[in-house]
Amino acid sequence: MAAMLRTRTILPTLIKGTRSFATVSSTSQLGVVQPSIREINNLSLDSRNLEKAVRHMHRDGLVVVEDVVPHEHLDLLNKKMVEDANTLLARGDKGPYNYNKGNIQQDAPPVAEYFFPSIFTNPIATQITTAMMGPRPKWTFCSANSAMATLPGGTPQRQPVHSDADFAHPDHPFALVVNVPLVTTTPENGSTEIWLGTHNNFGLDAQEGAHGERASGRIREDLLRRREKVSPPLQPVIKKGSIIIRDLRLWHAGMPNMTQETRVMLAMIHFAPWFRNRMRLEFGQDVKPILEKLENEGKLGLDVPVDWVSREAVLEGYLNRGFGNSYDFDQEP
């Protein structure tokens, strides 16, 4: 039994040759949990793997759980979202880009045929966020970021290192991002640069840029230089079918996509049940029976405040959302 329940600490796979965007050393390692077949079928980690996931979250601010999302669901959603990403990119300066036009903020189509519970309400993701923050976390944000292909002759652009918690926030876990990449992510196609352990001991004084600005949350250069001597950043390979749980406070940066294929990664934020975030989701009415069924069967485990709108209205508006830093992740006083 013990052989079936295992966790791995791995060094990320990197592009061969010199890269100027991230430096990796053997002192920084990524925590990866590999569930057993039984855990995958039961949609639940056993106590040992759950403990390991929680340990990585407290220590590193991030954990990866592999092989928990069916590839066929990812493929169907990816096809549609890549089409949508190209539509948004064509808007140029009016598009919802994050720091630079190579990284697009976009929502998944919020209608039933694309709403896969294995992706959006993955029970293993909820099991981890519940273990970290208490029962029934609040799911109030559902979006994605897409690393667009760098055009021939174009200049690769990376984001500044930043924190998504660009406001006065608690110094303990209050918001966890559930990332689901729709394809395998690599340094070549824009895997996110992460700075493990930076969710602890850093607050607003480490940041530049005001809350709500397109370039808010940037980490001060002097702190980056000091931190990289202790724990250099990583740009890991994340297998297709994985989920990533990331503390909202963790330093990270979107990286350029050097391939010709758009890389989409979903982001669902679970807030602690006591954290008074004001946001609400907006879904088409045909998603409501899916969530109600999950709730009635005891498979949801989330508080999901939703504004239900007609299918026609939601399809007309879901590509008109804001850029990443325009969302308010703060709480009511």
Side-chain angles (χ1 to χ4, degrees):
M1 184 67 173
M4 297 177 64
L5 306 172
R6 57 195 184 276
T7 186
R8 293 186 289 120
T9 304
I10 64 171
L11 286 175
T13 304
L14 303 174
I15 294 178
K16 294 181 179 179
T18 302
R19 293 192 301 115
S20 60
F21 295 115
T23 303
V24 179
S25 83
S26 60
T27 60
S28 298
Q29 297 180 323
L30 183 70
V32 179
V33 173
Q34 174 61 66
S36 67
I37 296 299
R38 180 177 180 180
E39 289 171 293
I40 293 171
N41 291 337
N42 290 340
L43 304 177
S44 179
L45 298 179
D46 91 323
S47 59
R48 292 175 179 83
N49 269 343
L50 181 59
E51 177 192 2
K52 292 166 185 174
V54 169
R55 183 189 311 142
H56 284 302
M57 288 302 304
H58 280 292
R59 185 189 68 190
D60 302 328
L62 184 143
V63 69
V64 176
V65 186
E66 294 184 339
D67 301 325
V68 293
V69 183
H71 287 200
E72 59 268 26
H73 296 172
L74 298 169
D75 292 341
L76 286 169
L77 185 58
N78 188 61
K79 183 176 185 296
K80 174 59 175 171
M81 292 194 70
V82 168
E83 294 172 357
D84 288 348
N86 289 327
T87 297
L88 293 172
L89 182 65
R91 296 180 183 177
D93 290 341
K94 296 182 180 179
Y97 62 89
N98 297 315
Y99 298 98
N100 65 72
K101 296 183 181 67
N103 189 287
I104 299 292
Q105 190 78 30
Q106 67 173 115
D107 281 14
V111 290
E113 63 264 38
Y114 295 108
F115 191 90
F116 299 104
S118 63
I119 296 175
F120 293 100
T121 60
N122 186 280
I124 289 179
T126 302
Q127 183 186 17
I128 295 171
T129 61
T130 296
M132 289 290 296
M133 300 187 299
R136 295 189 70 85
K138 289 186 292 186
W139 175 29
T140 65
F141 178 82
C142 183
S143 190
N145 70 78
S146 296
M148 308 304 293
T150 300
L151 298 176
T155 301
Q157 291 182 296
R158 59 162 292 157
Q159 292 180 347
V161 180
H162 63 279
S163 169
D164 292 336
D166 60 348
F167 50 89
H169 54 262
D171 59 2
H172 48 84
F174 68 94
L176 302 178
V177 184
V178 180
N179 285 131
V180 182
L182 301 187
V183 297
T184 294
T185 66
T186 69
E188 290 92 343
N189 69 5
S191 175
T192 302
E193 178 184 279
I194 54 176
W195 293 65
L196 297 180
T198 53
H199 61 306
N200 288 322
N201 303 317
F202 294 101
L204 272 182
D205 57 346
Q207 301 178 18
E208 297 175 331
H211 173 60
E213 294 178 356
R214 195 181 290 268
S216 65
R218 304 184 312 277
I219 305 303
R220 288 169 26 206
E221 190 68 23
D222 62 310
L223 294 179
L224 294 176
R225 300 291 74 81
R226 285 160 53 187
R227 182 67 186 180
E228 68 184 356
K229 295 177 181 178
V230 177
S231 181
L234 309 179
Q235 196 182 0
V237 170
I238 306 294
K239 286 175 53 180
K240 182 179 178 179
S242 301
I243 57 173
I244 307 159
I245 313 295
R246 170 176 62 84
D247 194 300
L248 188 75
R249 299 168 292 169
L250 193 75
W251 300 358
H252 62 286
M255 303 299 281
N257 181 354
M258 305 304 293
T259 74
Q260 295 304 302
E261 302 293 332
T262 299
R263 189 277 296 145
V264 180
M265 184 170 68
L266 293 170
M268 286 72 68
I269 301 181
H270 294 184
F271 289 94
W274 47 263
F275 191 81
R276 300 172 299 281
N277 181 257
R278 305 173 182 86
M279 295 188 300
R280 297 174 63 86
L281 300 173
E282 183 179 271
F283 291 152
Q285 286 280 0
D286 56 358
V287 174
K288 191 173 185 179
I290 301 175
L291 288 177
E292 288 179 341
K293 184 174 186 291
L294 291 171
E295 178 69 10
N296 292 336
E297 294 176 350
K299 297 178 180 178
L300 184 58
L302 295 167
D303 180 14
V304 189
V306 182
D307 292 327
W308 300 106
V309 298
S310 70
R311 177 183 174 88
E312 293 75 18
V314 80
L315 286 175
E316 183 177 344
Y318 79 98
L319 291 183
N320 298 322
R321 312 296 191 207
F323 56 87
N325 285 343
S326 68
Y327 290 91
D328 188 2
F329 300 148
D330 202 351
Q331 66 175 335
E332 296 176 347

